[in-house]
Amino acid sequence: PNVAATVTAHHLLINRNALLAGGLNPHHYCMPIVKRESHRQALLQAVTSGSPRFFAGTDSAPHPKHAKLSACGCAGVYTAHAAIEL
């Protein structure tokens, strides 16, 4: 298949344990939602494989703190400021 993907920094750094351990952490809530550690490891392997089909991406939709902490929450982990360093 002819498929390519954009991968965000937070999908390389956190897994669902960071989102769910000790209760829902709204600051790690994003879409697509973070998955298992095995999935995070697979993403790391893919982006470091040298394949031109993977691109660095950011979640450039920062939300005010009150929106992230609201009952319905806002999906997104703002990583644009740190993505280059990562």
Side-chain angles (χ1 to χ4, degrees), residues 1-83:
N2 192 12
V3 177
T6 300
V7 182
T8 63
H10 46 284
H11 284 92
L12 298 175
L13 295 172
I14 62 174
N15 61 31
R16 67 182 184 185
N17 292 338
L19 173 65
L20 300 172
L24 182 65
N25 181 338
H27 300 291
H28 291 158
Y29 174 52
C30 59
M31 291 294 180
I33 200 156
V34 291
K35 309 287 191 300
R36 296 181 177 138
E37 177 62 15
S38 61
H39 298 133
R40 188 185 76 81
Q41 291 293 326
L43 285 175
L44 284 169
Q45 185 175 4
V47 301
T48 58
S49 69
S51 171
R53 296 184 181 270
F54 299 99
F55 307 89
T58 64
D59 193 339
S60 56
H63 300 288
K65 187 175 181 179
H66 73 274
K68 288 294 285 182
L69 300 178
S70 70
C72 63
C74 291
V77 178
Y78 183 65
T79 55
H81 65 286

